[in-house]
């Protein structure tokens, strides 16, 4: 696919899920953000892949105890999905 491909965004988010399940939160954060940024670059800011990454970032923020940030990410995901 190459370094800039929509499927790479999916792979980054999946890697984030693995890191999250293993409680490697910094690695999960990095992977979710890379996935989100790749989806924005290769699809669009309102693409469902972006919403999935934002939702996962919200879950991660909640696990870290940052409810405000979790809510921000979940709201971004909802806006995209309701779009």
């Amino acid at each position: 696919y190459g370094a800039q491909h929509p499927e790479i965004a999916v792979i980054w988010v999946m890697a984030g899920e693995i890191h999250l399940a293993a409680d490697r939160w910094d690695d999960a954060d990095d992977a979710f953000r890379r996935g989100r940024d790749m989806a924005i670059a290769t699809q669009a800011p309102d693409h469902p892949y972006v919403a999935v990454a934002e939702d996962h970032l919200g879950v991660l923020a909640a696990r870290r105890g940052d409810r405000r940030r979790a809510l921000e990410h979940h709201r971004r995901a909802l806006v995209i999905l309701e779009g």
Side-chain angles (χ1 to χ4, degrees):
Y1 291 122
Q4 291 283 10
H5 192 278
E7 292 300 318
I8 303 301
V10 175
I11 292 168
W12 275 116
V13 172
M14 291 170 48
E17 291 172 349
I18 292 167
H19 291 308
L20 184 63
D23 292 329
R24 293 191 306 262
W25 293 351
D26 290 339
D27 293 332
D29 185 71
D30 180 59
F32 292 144
R33 289 179 190 282
R34 286 176 183 241
R36 179 197 59 198
D37 295 347
M38 180 72 64
I40 290 169
T42 61
Q43 296 286 340
D46 60 349
H47 194 276
Y49 288 177
V50 178
V52 170
E54 287 289 352
D55 182 62
H56 282 61
L57 284 164
V59 169
L60 177 59
R63 288 206 186 162
R64 287 179 160 172
D66 190 343
R67 289 189 229 167
R68 181 191 56 78
R69 181 162 289 160
L71 188 56
E72 289 173 5
H73 286 295
H74 288 304
R75 282 187 176 148
R76 283 188 207 124
L78 185 59
V79 166
I80 292 168
L81 295 175
E82 286 182 332

